[in-house]
């Protein structure tokens, strides 16, 4: 756990009433969310709860329907992926979004190539190995097309890519879904390292053990709405109840209240 | 420093394909997995040379080959342009008409209006650039598939060509002008052609050495010097041989060198610049490219503009080759020949794979077949059927190679 509570600074990212509709489907309905420096926020919820949609809105893939997003205190409109990257929001998408026909180096540096008019392949390759090394990635060759990599290897490439620009916030959408035991541990270590560098992390995962191991706060989405915020010490029952909505929400409401007090966030 | 300490040699599962043997092994592996590269084209050219050379000895005479190269430059340029569209997974079916419009603009402005020919060429190229912009905008703003918009463009441009040429139907271009000599007779002096023939090998060798030094300094594995030398020597030998053979007849056309220069330039753009990388990315996975912050719409605009501009340039060269701008320019098989050349050369119709070289290699195949059939006095009806079959075969090879790569996990 970080020594100082993250609540004493203003959030890097502050969402208020973010709503997203796809035609008749309301994927997100009035989402509030704060991300502080040096904080890992886990976003959990059942399939279809809207987690990926939220990530896509913050990464400029989808436009929000309504609501406000503040970045470092100023309201921003993240209307393109390029805008999100410029702000310092890096994303590992659930569907990875890699170009199969390009090699690992080209994918890592896509859109951020060294030497736009004269690509510096040597420097890119060296930095690629270093980035992959941070994840203890097992990629035999960075000059193979992505198509020849396994699911787990692709996932490490996607995660490494998010670290390239030293972003302020990293969002990881189910990053460990295709990973083995050791790799999962590496990713969780990485999440902690990123947090300790003072960046904010949004982690989406279905594995409650992983979530509790690294998260400073656990935010539950259910059917596109906020359904409670928990500390890492929350019990499995509490989380499951909030995720599935199986029991009365008093449990989560209590947890939310307690969280709000400890974090000084009462608005 | 031992090999295992190098960044890219730390993983014991990677076979280190060092030296000549290693290079050969890597080559065989790539072939097997459907990464055929230029091999089918080279084989195709050899078969063509043997077949047509046997049927009619004139085919392989140096003078005929020079003629062939003169003819190849125009279609080759059009083909070079369409590579940009194909790499995006798009297509431009109006490149033939575009080249016809360009030749009409050249003829009208130069001969009828009296504008100096360089300015007339600029106007023709400008018309191409604008046309490409229109196609890209139709795609970006209205989601109009490029094969529809360019099919509409094919007809519209043909109409424009007929309108520009008016009742005369054909405009003869001044025979004594530089442009026409460039398109019909100008060949390189022998000594210069040999000197230029050394450039590709020397370039490969020089940059190969530089890359080796950089990689060594960066603690990456260094490709074997022997492979580099063999590559450079073989390439130089082939080009020198070809140049020597051509010099036994009329020599190497300046126009073909001009085309080669543009191919080399575009190869640089595609493989060594951020723009080129973005084209491959958009062609490989548009959504991934977009999420990486690439401005997909802008890339499309540039690619379509390049495509149509090169088509217009090809039209200009075709006009200078024929010394006329006519209603027939750019019609008939020009369109499909240019697209077929790119595909035969190894650019995929499915996007994301290909090279500028494919235009060069493919156009040689197409032009050789076309030239050989003409020498056999076959009517154009048969020529069309045979070229149609060749295109079909090229697309089948492309498809099969794609499936094979997929099953071997190589995109
Ligand atoms: N592009 C889209 N078009 C229409 N509906 C969508 C789209 N993306 C997501 N949805 C809908 O939004 C809801 C939330 O999806 P998603 O964010 O992917 O959930 P999660 O990641 O939490 O499993 C689902 O009901 C899904 O069907
Ligand atoms: Mg999801």
């Amino acid at each position: 756990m970080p020594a100082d509570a993250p609540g004493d600074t203003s959030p890097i990212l502050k969402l208020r009433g973010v709503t997203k509709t796809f035609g008749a489907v309301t994927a997100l309905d009035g989402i509030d969310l704060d991300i502080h420096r040096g904080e890992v926020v886990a976003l959990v919820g059942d399939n279809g709860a809207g987690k990926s949609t939220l990530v896509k809105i913050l990464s400029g893939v989808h436009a929000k329907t309504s609501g406000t997003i503040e970045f470092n205190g100023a309201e921003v409109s993240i209307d393109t992926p390029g805008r999100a990257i410029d702000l310092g929001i890096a994303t590992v998408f659930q569907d990875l979004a890699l170009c199969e026909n390009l090699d690992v180096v080209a994918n890592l540096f896509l859109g951020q190539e060294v030497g736009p008019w004269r690509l510096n392949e040597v420097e890119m390759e060296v930095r690629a190995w270093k980035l992959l090394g941070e994840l203890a990635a097992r990629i035999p060759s960075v000059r193979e097309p992505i198509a020849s990599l396994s699911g787990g290897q692709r996932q490490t490439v996607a995660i490494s890519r998010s670290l390239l620009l030293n972003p302020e916030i990293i969002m990881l959408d189910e990053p460990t879904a295709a990973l083995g035991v050791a790799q999962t541990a590496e990713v969780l270590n990485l999440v902690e390292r990123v947090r300790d560098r003072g960046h904010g992390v949004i982690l989406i995962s279905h594995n409650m053990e992983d979530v509790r191991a690294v998260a400073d706060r656990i935010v539950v989405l259910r059917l596109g709405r906020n359904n409670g915020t928990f500390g890492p010490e929350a019990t499995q029952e509490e989380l499951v109840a909030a995720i599935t909505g199986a029991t009365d929400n008093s449990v989560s409401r209590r947890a939310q209240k307690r969280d709000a007090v400890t974090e000084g966030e009462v608005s | 420093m031992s090999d295992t300490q190098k960044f890219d040699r730390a993983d014991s599962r990677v076979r280190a394909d060092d030296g000549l043997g290693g290079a050969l092994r890597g080559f065989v592996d790539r072939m097997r997995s459907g990464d055929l590269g230029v091999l089918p084209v080279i084989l195709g050219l050899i078969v063509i040379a043997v077949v047509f050379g046997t049927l009619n000895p004139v085919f392989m005479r140096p003078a005929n080959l020079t003629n062939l190269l003169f003819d190849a430059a125009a279609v080759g340029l059009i083909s070079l342009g369409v590579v940009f569209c194909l790499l995006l997974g798009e297509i431009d079916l109006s490149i033939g008409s575009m080249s016809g419009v360009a030749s009409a603009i050249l003829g009208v402005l130069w001969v009828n209006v009296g504008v100096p020919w360089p300015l007339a060429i600029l106007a023709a190229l400008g018309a191409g650039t604008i046309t490409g912009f229109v196609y890209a905008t139709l795609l970006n703003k209205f989601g109009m598939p490029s094969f529809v918009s360019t099919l509409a463009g094919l007809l519209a441009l043909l109409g424009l060509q007929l309108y520009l040429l008016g009742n005369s139907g054909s405009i003869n271009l001044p025979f004594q002008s530089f442009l026409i000599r460039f398109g019909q007779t100008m060949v390189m002096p022998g000594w210069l052609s040999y000197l230029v023939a050394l450039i590709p090998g020397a370039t490969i060798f020089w940059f190969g050495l530089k890359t080796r030094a950089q990689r060594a300094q960066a603690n990456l594995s260094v490709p074997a010097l022997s492979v580099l030398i063999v590559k450079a020597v073989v390439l130089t030998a082939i080009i020198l041989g070809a140049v020597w053979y051509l010099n036994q007849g009329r020599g190497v056309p300046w126009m073909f060198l001009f085309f080669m220069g543009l191919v080399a330039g575009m190869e640089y753009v595609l493989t060594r610049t951020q723009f080129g990388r973005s084209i491959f990315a958009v062609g490989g996975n548009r959504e991934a490219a977009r999420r990486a912050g690439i401005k997909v719409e802008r890339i499309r605009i540039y690619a379509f503009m390049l495509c149509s501009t090169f088509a217009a340039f090809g039209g200009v060269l075709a006009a200078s080759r024929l010394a006329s701008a006519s209603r027939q320019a750019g019609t008939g098989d020009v369109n499909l020949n240019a697209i077929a050349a790119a595909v035969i050369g190894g650019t995929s119709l499915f996007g994301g794979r290909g090279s500028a070289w494919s235009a060069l290699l493919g156009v040689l195949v197409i032009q050789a077949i076309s030239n050989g059939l003409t020498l056999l006095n076959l009517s154009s009806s048969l020529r069309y059927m045979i070229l149609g079959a060749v295109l079909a075969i090229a697309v089948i090879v492309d498809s099969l190679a794609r499936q094979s790569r997929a099953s071997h996990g190589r995109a």
Side-chain angles (χ1 to χ4, degrees), chain A residues 55-68:
Chain A
V55 163
K56 284 180 182 166
I57 285 175
L58 292 177
S59 59
V61 172
H62 290 325
K64 64 182 178 344
T65 308
S66 63
T68 59

Side-chain angles (χ1 to χ4, degrees), chain A residues 9-238:
Chain A
T9 53
S10 59
I12 321 178
L13 196 61
K14 182 171 163 187
L15 277 65
R16 285 299 173 266
V18 169
T19 298
K20 173 69 185 175
T21 55
F22 294 106
V25 180
T26 303
L28 293 175
D29 189 4
I31 298 294
D32 296 343
L33 182 68
D34 292 331
I35 312 292
H36 298 86
R37 260 164 240 293
E39 181 186 37
V40 177
V41 174
L43 206 54
V44 300
D46 241 338
N47 283 326
K51 308 177 298 291
S52 296
T53 305
L54 187 58
V55 163
K56 284 180 182 166
I57 285 175
L58 292 177
S59 59
V61 172
H62 290 325
K64 64 182 178 344
T65 308
S66 63
T68 59
I69 301 173
E70 282 181 25
F71 191 82
N72 281 333
E75 190 172 337
V76 291
S77 91
I78 308 175
D79 44 7
T80 62
R83 180 81 182 109
I85 294 167
D86 290 344
L87 285 173
I89 304 175
T91 315
V92 180
F93 294 98
Q94 188 169 10
D95 49 2
L96 301 184
L98 300 168
C99 289
E100 302 238 322
N101 57 329
L102 297 180
D103 66 21
V104 175
V105 178
N107 267 287
L108 283 175
F109 285 84
L110 198 56
Q112 315 293 336
E113 288 85 355
V114 180
W117 297 105
R118 191 156 163 236
L119 298 183
N120 188 339
E121 294 287 354
V122 173
E123 185 184 330
M124 286 196 278
E125 190 169 333
V126 169
R127 278 179 61 193
W129 283 115
K130 287 185 178 153
L131 268 176
L132 293 167
E134 277 199 50
L135 273 170
R138 291 218 138 265
I139 307 270
S141 164
V142 292
R143 288 301 177 189
E144 290 290 308
I146 289 290
S148 66
L149 302 187
S150 73
Q153 289 171 327
R154 288 175 202 214
Q155 203 131 41
T156 27
V157 172
I159 296 171
S160 303
R161 185 165 86 183
S162 68
L163 298 173
L164 183 69
L165 295 178
N166 201 19
E168 294 215 41
I169 288 193
I170 295 188
M171 301 190 289
L172 304 127
D173 194 349
E174 305 197 17
T176 54
L179 296 185
V181 184
Q183 277 275 272
T184 301
E186 285 299 339
V187 170
L188 297 181
N189 284 344
L190 175 90
V191 165
E192 283 175 344
R193 282 209 298 282
V194 170
R195 179 214 15 229
D196 294 343
R197 273 190 229 153
H199 305 313
V201 180
I202 299 179
L203 175 70
I204 297 178
S205 177
H206 283 298
N207 186 330
M208 290 305 135
E209 227 170 282
D210 294 352
V211 163
R212 259 186 306 223
V214 292
D216 301 306
R217 267 190 309 142
I218 301 170
V219 173
V220 180
L221 292 191
R222 187 172 127 71
L223 301 176
R225 294 168 198 253
N226 285 97
N227 203 31
T229 303
F230 298 85
E233 71 288 347
T235 65
Q236 181 80 10
E237 290 70 41
E238 285 177 307

Side-chain angles (χ1 to χ4, degrees), chain B residues 43-44 74 107 146 164 202-203 209 215 231 245 276 351 407:
Chain B
L43 288 179
S146 54
L164 285 173
T203 312
L209 282 186
R215 289 183 69 89
K231 260 191 201 164
Y245 194 67
S407 68

Side-chain angles (χ1 to χ4, degrees), chain B residues 50-107:
Chain B
V50 170
V51 171
F52 286 120
T54 331
L55 290 175
N56 187 342
V58 174
F59 180 76
M60 283 306 286
R61 297 235 172 97
N64 184 53
L65 295 183
T66 297
N67 217 9
L68 199 157
L69 294 188
F70 266 115
D71 289 334
V75 181
L77 263 197
I78 303 175
S79 183
L80 179 59
V82 86
V83 164
F84 284 89
C85 274
L86 294 180
L87 281 175
L88 286 187
E90 305 288 342
I91 199 161
D92 186 344
L93 295 170
S94 72
I95 42 182
S97 303
M98 187 65 240
S99 75
V101 167
S103 68
I105 291 176
L106 175 70

